Structure formats: structure tokens, C-alpha cells
Amino acid sequence: MNYKKDEVTNLLNTKCMNVFGCSIDDATEKQAYKTLCYVVKDLLAEKRSKFAKQYKEKEGKQVYYMSMEFLVGTSLRNNLYNLGMESVFKSALKQKKIDINSLYAMEPDAGLGNGGLGRLASCYMDAMTSLGMMGTGFSIRYEFGIFKQKIVDGWQMEFPDNWLEMGDVWLNRREDESFIIKFGGTLKEEWTDGKLKVTHENYQPVMAVPYDMYISGYDTDAVNKLVLWSAKSPNNLDMTAFSRGEYVRSLEENTMAEVISKILYPADDHIEGKRLRIKQQYLLVSASLQSILLKHIKKYKTLDNLPDKVAIHINDTHPALCVPELTRILIDEYGYDWDKAWDIVTRTLTYTNHTVMSEALERWPESLFSAELPRIYQIVLEINRRLVQKLNEVYPGDIAKIEYMSPVAHGEVRMANLCLAACHKVNGVSKLHSDILINSIFKDYYNIEPDKFTNVTNGIAYRRWLCQSNPELASLIKNLIGDKFVHDATALEGLLKYKGDKNVLESLQKIKLVKKQALAKYISHANGINVDPSSIFDVQIKRLHEYKRQLLNVLQILHMYNVIKDNPNADITPRTFVFAAKASAGYMMAKQIIRLISAVADLVDSDAAVRDKIKVVFIEDYKVSLAEIIIPAAEISEQISIAGKEASGTGNMKLMINGAVTLGTLDGANVEICEQVGKDNIFLFGMTAPEVEELWRKGYNPNFFVTPELKRVLDMLTSGILGTRFEDISKSLLTNSFGTADAYMTIADFESYRQAQERVGKEYLNRDKFTDMSLVNIAKAGIFSADRAVKEYADNIWNIKL
Ligand code: GL7
């Protein structure tokens, strides 16, 4: 958008006067921040209205992206950047003696997600918009997002994240477009004119109120919307109870309803089978579908053409209730018969699987499901009945297989099977992951309908992760290859011609140093530790989960500690190990591992012989805005999950595009990163996914893999040298009585990891060679852009022409 400095100043002044009754000169910092956000929101609203009008005339197909999570992070800088207005706002504010960076710093992260899955949804909203596509995200307006983490004596403590206090500036409430959602109750069945009519009675009504958040894209006419539903009671106050003097009771109904959108479940890669969670899921699904269909019918007067105009995407199984709910609305509210309704449902819905972890595959006890959602349960049973009939024809008599594939079996409703049965496209999120889906967990479905299955390797909103969080690097790249890469990430390949170019390598090193200094400053402020910016910055930043093997990293650090203790002159390249990770609140082993990292940090730091060679830092409260500081400073990107378990990873891509070299297993998208950069530009180690499988088949006993070095490290866990004894961790690795010790094969991969770490230390010493690796990583990261991923979704899954 083209605005001059004076015009911007005017906008700020007028807005500030209207909202706060003062000019921007007299505003407090908080008022200035809010004013700026409101002005930006207005600009987006104006663009949105033009875009929506154009789109309406075109009658194109659009996508609705349903996700229980959108990890939005901050929006202010991103919106200004995308609108191309950062510098004009900066100078207008500067004239008023306001530093735009201090306003940026006031914005809380909208942490409406746990980790990779939620951040991916936000990256895709950015890409859809940047590609000029009409795409709407649907989620929940959690009053409290992902908890704030503090580490106290090594233990993780969780605190509520009241993001709305400063974050609600971006939301537009649209109360008059609310919908009623029905929970519980009973069903009445009546036959009239040979037709069965089902009436839902005695239910608890909850009102879903939408809040819109505008999503900007880079250099585009499009502005999209993220619609966040908030729950409230349709009856604000029970007047009878109130007049009896029962004040608390008079508000009870409202409180019960509001609790549905109160807080994000902090579960990542596993499920929380709680009653409230299914209510959240149904609120999202029912409200969104009601609004989509209402809009569609207003425009087209029929729902027959829904699949031609609308793609509804189910992001992981969390919104899988879309399957029965869309069927229900078509039948109960729009009078379709089953076959016609089911045809529309299957042609409209698509599904992405994001994990093979069995503890994350959602299942609900039938008793809970039927009590909360009686009509939906009835529909699920009918879907199941028809499917089983069909499967009996394909796999006659194979009861075990049919049961495995059924949406309802063994007293449970299984959400993945519901999606597999209904969606016309199903995809995994990296080549390896999609292969595992079709060869293993979804094999039986694949055998019947192979064309249904496809892969879309994840991608990132690289303009946020490179251009905005590392403007120094982006500007060097622009000077070298021009700015085509800002639209087309594959143009980064142009950098390859600077391989071995001394000047360019030196510039890259300088920029890395600047970003490392910035991170060192943050660490000194946040942790009170001074780290050396000339040491290798080796980072592992992601949720804490055993399969991600932060433990492997820590064990190797303890080994390095021993090497230095044995020989203080040992040839060890100084290293700073940076960790940041939240653990799910009830996940004890993950919390123990955080405690171990803190204990190792203390051990290393208290030892004069070691502390100049290695430093261990656990930075608390990992979130999008913190990632934006850590990632540009990273040199080694730890992607060390056991092969076969990390569906894709996206942090690996963000780190790569900032020049960090991956130290990883051949898991998830690491496989494709390796394909891109070649084996010389990545540090690979560990078993491959088939080797892991093979070892399980043969029978895995970790004790056979314990080398003398590792034995020494494992003994440290229980010797007391770390201040506390980490018996649970030690036991989980070695002596689980059910023969499932070391479920993530940390011990089997240790030796190979240790050697890879040794290579890292050696190769880093040749600064130009290492920087060349870094350059190749940046140059080859283009394929991992969300623009590419979303184009593939549009082409192969949503059938939307761009
Ligand atoms: C995840 C995967 O674990 C992660 O590998 C993937 O990159 C991400 C996005 O596809 O989805 N699945 C999942 O349940 N969570 C993830 O981050 C929480």
C-alpha cells in the first residue's frame, strides 16, 4: 500500500484521538501500541473488503482450514512487512519520538497452539494469502493460550497466558453471526410419511461467537480471515436464581459454557481424552460448518454444488467431527437423504495426518461420545455400519482387519478411521511419513483406494523466518542475487555460485556473529549466563518429547564433560548448547529431562576446567517470538529423533534457511533436506527407519549397545554427581521390566551420535568450509517454503486453480 509519512501520521493521530481522546504525542506507550495496531487493522479491513468483493464476483473455489491450533505468534511487524509499510510507519513514529521496536516488543504472542502442527497452520494462512487465494482458517479463541513456562530449581512450572489483554487488538467480534451448538440431551425419533425424523431435545445450548483476525500476505491484494470461536451461554443470567439470592448459581450456566473456550489443551503429539476437549472440538466444527453452509446457501441457493466451490480441510484428527457434523447438517437441516449427503461430504472433505505416534491417534470412549453428542454418535454408527458392509465385500471374513479399520470398535470412536472413511484425499507431511502411512498404519485403506493418498512435505512462511527475523542475512542475499527470492524461495539457489567466495563467506560469518551476539545478550538477560559468541551455537528447540531425544543430546554433553575432565587440554571446539522446550504439564518423564538439562548446565558451569569449553543453556518459555531470536543465531540444528517418528519437523527448515547445518537422523523432512544439500552438507547419524524396524523385530536389548564411554555417562545419572539422582531416566533406558526399555533407542544410536558430534567439532574449525556448508543450506532451503506446499495442496488436494 502506498502511503506517505504525513498520511500515516494523520491516521495515527485520528485513531488515537478517537479511541483514547489524545493525540499520538500525548499517548502512553500502551496507547501508542494499540493505536498502531488499530491503524494497521483498519488498513487490512479496507483491503479485505476489496478482495472479498472481487472474489465474490469470480465465484471461485475456496478453502476452509479447520484446525484446533493456530500458533500465530506476533502480528504487528509481520503485517507491516507484508503491507510493505514498515519503513513509512517507522519514520512517522520516529518523528513522534516513538521507537517502533519498543512497540513491537509490547505485543504478546498469540499462542493458540502447542508446536509444529499449530505453527504450520499459521504458516499456511500466510502462504494462502500471499498466493492470492481465498482461504479461511477456523479455530477457537482460547482465552488462555499455551502456558507460560518458568524453570524453578530445574523444574518446569506452568503459568496462565493471558494473551488477550494486549492481543485482542487484532480481533473483531461479530456477535450477530453467532450459532447455537447443542450438547448432551436426548433424541426423539418419529416416522412421518415413511421418513424418519430425529429431534434433538433437552440439550444444553452453547453460543459460539466468532472473532475475526485478518491475515496479511506478502505483496498481494488478498487479505484472509482467521475466525476464532468463543463460547458463551445464550442465557446470560438465571434471573430466578438471582432473585432467590443465589448469585453464584445465577451465573453458573454462563460459566459452564464459557469454560469451553477458556484454555488450549497443552498436549502435543498425544491426546487428552477429556470431556471438555471433545466439546471444544465440536464447538469448532459445528459453528464453522454452520457458517460455511449458511454463506454458501445464501450465495448459490443450493448445497448440491458445495464440493465444487468449497474445500474443507481437516488439520489432523482434532476437527474430525466435521465428518458426522456435515452429514448431520445436510440431512437434519437441509433435508438431504443419506446417499446424497454422504456424496457431498466425501467430495468436500480432505485430511492431513501429522503423526504416527499411537498415543496421538485420537479415540473417544463411546460412552462419553454418545452422552455429549447423541445425534453425532448416531450418525457415526451409521457411517460405521455402511463401511463395515463395504469392507466385508473387500475383505470377506477378515474380522480383525475390518475391526482395525472401523471408526467404531472396542468401545471407542476412532477419529483417524472416520477421516479415512470419509475424506477424498489424505496426506502425510513428508515423503518418509507419507510412505509410512501407506505401508503401515493406513495400509489397509491404501490397498482399497490408493489414489486417495498423497504427500505434501511441510513448508514454512520463510519471509517471517528469514526476511523478518534475519534482515541482515536477507539484505546480503538481496545484494548478491537480487530480490526475486522474496517472492520465489527457489531463487535462493542463485547463492550457490558464491560457494568458496571468500568475501561472501566472510559476510555470512559476520552476520552470524551479529545474530549470535544478539542471542548472547538475550541469554545474559534471561538466564544471567554469559556465553561466548565465538563458540559453536548448537541448538535443540522444540517440544520436549522422548521421541525427539533431547536426552541423547544431554548424554553426549556429559560424555564431552568426561573427555575434558580426563584431559583438560583435549581438543574440544568450544560449544554452547542451547535448549528450549515446553513439556506437556502432566508428562513427568519430559519434566525430568528438563531437570536433567538444568542439572547438567549447573555441573558444567560450576567446573572451572570445563566451563570455557562447554556451556549449556536452557532458555525458558519457548515460543514463536523467541524462536525468531534463537534461529538466526544457530549454527548446528539438532534434529535427532528416532527415525520413523517425527512426521516432518519444520524447525529443521527454519534453521536451515538461516544457515544452520543439520545434525540429524534420516527422519521426517530431514531426509529431503539431505536430498537437497547432499551428504557433505549435513551431519547424519543413527539408524534409518527400516533399521529401527528391523532391530525391533530382532528384539532390542539396550544393554548390548552400552559402550564404556556411555556406561560412564549412565552411571553419572545415578551417582549423585548431578546434585540429584535421575533414577527414573536411567531406569527408562535400561531396566523396564516389560522388555520395553529405551523405547526410543537412545542407547542404540548413542555411539553414532557421539562420532557425528566429534565431526562437527572438527569441521567447524575450518571456518570457510563450514560456512560453505551453511551457504549451501540457505541456497537449498527454497523448496521448503509454505508457498510451494500450499500450491501443492491447491493442485493435488483442494482442486483449486491459482
Ligand atoms: C506434528 C509433528 O510431530 C511434526 O513432525 C510436524 O512437523 C508437525 C506439522 O506437520 O506436526 N504432529 C503433531 O501432532 N504435532 C506436530 O508438531 C504436535
Side-chain angles (χ1 to χ4, degrees):
M1 284 174 124
N2 247 337
Y3 278 78
K4 301 211 168 57
K5 191 161 94 183
D6 292 348
E7 292 170 309
V8 166
T9 310
N10 266 338
L11 290 176
L12 290 167
N13 265 326
T14 316
K15 182 56 78 184
C16 197
M17 189 56 79
N18 287 342
V19 181
F20 299 109
C22 63
S23 74
I24 194 86
D25 304 80
D26 299 327
T28 64
E29 211 177 26
K30 205 163 156 180
Q31 288 168 339
Y33 157 78
K34 290 197 170 182
T35 301
L36 173 58
C37 294
Y38 290 142
V39 168
V40 174
K41 189 167 74 175
D42 286 351
L43 294 171
L44 292 172
E46 190 187 315
K47 265 186 98 160
R48 165 71 190 184
S49 119
K50 281 190 203 138
F51 175 62
K53 192 159 169 270
Q54 275 170 18
Y55 210 85
K56 205 167 168 188
E57 283 157 11
K58 273 209 319 225
E59 297 202 344
K61 186 169 181 180
Q62 59 180 304
V63 66
Y64 292 99
Y65 199 85
M66 307 280 225
S67 180
M68 286 290 284
E69 304 192 6
F70 282 87
L71 199 40
V72 179
T74 56
S75 295
L76 180 54
R77 184 184 60 179
N78 182 55
N79 285 336
L80 284 172
Y81 174 89
N82 277 341
L83 291 169
M85 296 178 81
E86 206 182 357
S87 66
V88 67
F89 269 89
K90 200 173 182 168
S91 59
L93 286 163
K94 196 168 167 200
Q95 204 173 37
K96 300 285 174 192
K97 309 218 165 17
I98 301 173
D99 175 10
I100 200 167
N101 289 310
S102 64
L103 300 188
Y104 287 163
M106 295 179 78
E107 186 178 7
D109 278 36
L112 311 182
N114 273 287
L117 177 145
R119 182 55 226 172
L120 187 81
S122 277
C123 283
Y124 284 179
M125 287 306 299
D126 177 293
M128 283 182 224
T129 316
S130 299
L131 292 167
M133 207 174 132
M134 183 62 116
T136 305
F138 277 114
S139 193
I140 290 183
R141 177 183 170 274
Y142 303 105
E143 237 174 280
F144 297 95
I146 183 73
F147 63 85
K148 282 189 192 303
Q149 178 197 51
K150 286 205 189 322
I151 306 295
V152 180
D153 294 334
W155 283 109
Q156 167 177 297
M157 310 270 280
E158 300 95 28
F159 295 89
D161 163 44
N162 185 9
W163 72 284
L164 283 170
E165 199 185 337
M166 294 288 273
D168 75 339
V169 284
W170 299 113
L171 302 180
N172 283 335
R173 184 180 166 96
R174 289 187 291 115
E175 175 108 21
D176 51 348
E177 290 169 61
S178 303
F179 292 94
I180 293 290
I181 318 298
K182 302 175 183 175
F183 292 100
T186 50
L187 302 176
K188 195 170 96 190
E189 300 188 346
E190 287 163 311
W191 285 94
T192 33
D193 305 332
K195 245 184 130 180
L196 179 67
K197 187 168 178 279
V198 182
T199 319
H200 193 172
E201 295 180 326
N202 306 317
Y203 54 81
Q204 294 111 40
V206 171
M207 206 158 105
V209 184
Y211 287 71
D212 289 349
M213 184 187 234
Y214 293 120
I215 305 292
S216 58
Y218 181 70
D219 193 19
T220 168
D221 290 336
V223 171
N224 279 311
K225 284 199 310 191
L226 174 57
V227 180
L228 302 173
W229 298 102
S230 182
K232 72 176 257 203
S233 161
N235 319 309
N236 284 323
L237 185 75
D238 179 346
M239 282 306 283
T240 328
F242 189 84
S243 12
R244 279 202 302 267
E246 298 173 30
Y247 305 123
V248 174
R249 258 207 63 207
S250 71
L251 294 168
E252 207 169 59
E253 198 180 317
N254 207 13
T255 313
M256 291 305 287
E258 279 177 9
V259 81
I260 297 178
S261 54
K262 191 61 84 185
I263 184 160
L264 166 83
Y265 273 99
D268 181 272
D269 276 300
H270 74 105
I271 49 167
E272 282 270 6
K274 301 274 163 59
R275 192 173 293 267
L276 187 61
R277 172 76 174 175
I278 201 173
K279 286 186 158 186
Q280 291 187 333
Q281 296 185 345
Y282 188 60
L283 183 96
L284 162 66
V285 160
S286 180
S288 309
L289 291 175
Q290 290 187 60
S291 95
I292 294 168
L293 295 197
L294 189 67
K295 196 167 152 204
H296 188 91
I297 203 111
K298 270 192 192 153
K299 188 164 169 189
Y300 296 105
K301 315 284 177 247
T302 172
L303 294 174
D304 291 358
N305 64 346
L306 190 73
D308 307 325
K309 298 293 174 191
V310 162
I312 299 177
H313 197 77
I314 301 178
N315 193 34
D316 215 81
T317 54
H318 319 145
L321 288 168
C322 277
V323 174
E325 175 66 0
L326 184 54
T327 316
R328 181 194 71 78
I329 302 180
L330 291 171
I331 293 174
D332 290 358
E333 294 178 22
Y334 291 96
Y336 281 89
D337 65 24
W338 183 280
D339 290 334
K340 186 74 188 120
W342 188 246
D343 175 63
I344 293 176
V345 168
T346 53
R347 289 193 297 123
T348 305
L349 299 179
T350 52
Y351 155 64
T352 299
N353 170 281
H354 289 271
T355 182
V356 296
M357 301 290 293
S358 58
E359 64 263 41
L361 291 178
E362 288 192 299
R363 311 150 183 271
W364 295 102
E366 261 184 276
S367 52
L368 185 150
F369 194 98
S370 58
E372 282 309 326
L373 310 170
R375 177 62 178 142
I376 291 300
Y377 176 63
Q378 211 175 37
I379 287 175
V380 168
L381 287 181
E382 182 58 13
I383 294 172
N384 193 66
R385 191 186 67 78
R386 288 171 181 249
L387 180 79
V388 168
Q389 216 168 42
K390 200 173 103 184
L391 292 177
N392 256 320
E393 286 160 24
V394 191
Y395 299 118
D398 195 341
I399 295 173
K401 185 169 286 189
I402 295 173
E403 250 177 27
Y404 178 80
M405 297 174 75
S406 299
V408 186
H410 303 294
E412 287 178 331
V413 181
R414 295 121 151 218
M415 306 315 265
N417 284 351
L418 209 47
C419 293
L420 290 165
C423 296
H424 68 277
K425 283 282 174 189
V426 172
N427 74 289
V429 290
S430 72
K431 281 185 198 163
L432 176 68
H433 170 60
S434 295
D435 284 347
I436 292 174
L437 291 183
I438 62 175
N439 293 318
S440 157
I441 60 172
F442 296 164
K443 184 170 108 200
D444 301 321
Y445 271 98
Y446 174 74
N447 286 341
I448 316 179
E449 291 176 291
D451 294 344
K452 194 185 255 201
F453 292 83
T454 184
N455 170 249
V456 181
T457 298
N458 283 166
I460 57 167
Y462 71 100
R463 285 171 290 268
R464 176 186 283 260
W465 296 104
L466 170 63
C467 307
Q468 293 169 41
S469 43
N470 199 345
E472 295 87 347
L473 179 57
S475 120
L476 171 68
I477 298 173
K478 259 183 215 170
N479 289 338
L480 296 172
I481 61 170
D483 59 7
K484 186 165 176 243
F485 76 95
V486 185
H487 282 108
D488 169 10
T490 59
L492 286 169
E493 285 212 23
L495 284 175
L496 286 177
K497 64 173 177 281
Y498 295 101
K499 244 187 108 179
D501 181 319
K502 283 260 176 217
N503 288 332
V504 171
L505 298 184
E506 203 177 298
S507 305
L508 282 172
Q509 285 157 14
K510 273 195 191 139
I511 289 168
K512 191 55 91 182
L513 186 62
V514 167
K515 302 314 267 186
K516 285 165 78 180
Q517 283 160 342
L519 176 59
K521 199 168 147 198
Y522 182 91
I523 292 173
S524 141
H525 186 72
N527 295 48
I529 298 176
N530 290 322
V531 300
D532 175 8
S534 71
S535 62
I536 310 176
F537 276 25
D538 177 324
V539 314
Q540 187 170 17
I541 45 174
K542 47 183 79 245
R543 282 295 285 243
L544 215 140
H545 210 300
E546 286 164 278
Y547 84 81
K548 296 180 188 279
R549 298 200 297 194
Q550 279 92 352
L551 188 51
L552 179 58
N553 192 345
V554 197
L555 295 180
Q556 198 285 140
I557 297 172
L558 282 174
H559 165 71
M560 272 172 108
Y561 171 88
N562 288 336
V563 171
I564 301 169
K565 289 299 278 182
D566 290 350
N567 173 11
N569 300 318
D571 205 5
I572 297 262
T573 318
R575 195 87 75 105
T576 300
F577 291 96
V578 174
F579 292 87
K582 285 179 182 173
S584 202
Y587 189 175
M588 276 322 286
M589 186 55 76
K591 288 187 157 176
Q592 293 278 12
I593 293 171
I594 294 182
R595 205 163 134 254
L596 175 62
I597 299 171
S598 301
V600 172
D602 291 347
L603 174 74
V604 166
D605 212 42
S606 62
D607 197 317
V610 185
R611 66 170 157 250
D612 293 336
K613 296 254 166 80
I614 45 182
K615 275 262 166 15
V616 179
V617 185
F618 187 98
I619 308 181
E620 59 188 15
D621 206 30
Y622 186 53
K623 54 184 170 182
V624 175
S625 57
L626 181 56
E628 288 170 9
I629 301 171
I630 301 176
I631 289 172
E635 292 170 304
I636 292 295
S637 156
E638 300 260 3
Q639 308 300 335
I640 60 179
S641 51
I642 177 176
K645 286 283 187 252
E646 186 70 88
S648 162
T650 44
N652 46 5
M653 303 166 185
K654 294 164 197 168
L655 284 154
M656 172 190 193
I657 206 167
N658 277 281
V661 180
T662 303
L663 163 58
T665 47
L666 280 173
D667 197 14
N670 297 353
V671 175
E672 289 152 82
I673 291 179
C674 179
E675 258 169 45
Q676 287 298 312
V677 300
K679 287 213 164 111
D680 291 343
N681 296 300
I682 184 168
F683 297 99
L684 286 181
F685 75 95
M687 290 177 285
T688 60
E691 284 164 357
V692 167
E693 284 300 308
E694 178 60 22
L695 186 52
W696 283 127
R697 251 195 311 273
K698 282 199 322 221
Y700 172 53
N701 182 348
N703 293 288
F704 293 156
F705 292 82
V706 179
T707 58
E709 288 95 346
L710 180 55
K711 166 94 178 56
R712 195 168 156 199
V713 166
L714 292 172
D715 287 345
M716 291 165 86
L717 296 180
T718 46
S719 72
I721 185 179
L722 291 159
T724 339
R725 293 187 165 78
F726 290 91
E727 255 130 19
D728 290 354
I729 297 181
S730 164
K731 257 196 223 155
S732 83
L733 290 174
L734 294 169
T735 55
N736 196 316
S737 50
F738 303 106
T740 54
D742 194 16
Y744 302 101
M745 293 186 167
T746 302
I747 290 182
D749 271 346
F750 181 83
E751 180 51 24
S752 159
Y753 179 62
R754 189 195 63 73
Q755 289 175 14
Q757 280 288 26
E758 220 170 71
R759 289 204 305 278
V760 169
K762 291 219 172 74
E763 297 207 14
Y764 188 82
L765 291 176
N766 185 342
R767 298 298 294 122
D768 284 349
K769 181 157 180 278
F770 189 87
T771 313
D772 248 342
M773 291 175 83
S774 174
L775 178 141
V776 173
N777 273 273
I778 303 169
K780 288 292 195 168
I783 188 130
F784 301 110
S785 94
D787 299 347
R788 183 271 312 151
V790 164
K791 261 188 221 136
E792 287 181 15
Y793 276 97
D795 286 347
N796 307 333
I797 294 180
W798 302 328
N799 196 15
I800 291 180
K801 299 216 164 33
L802 287 175

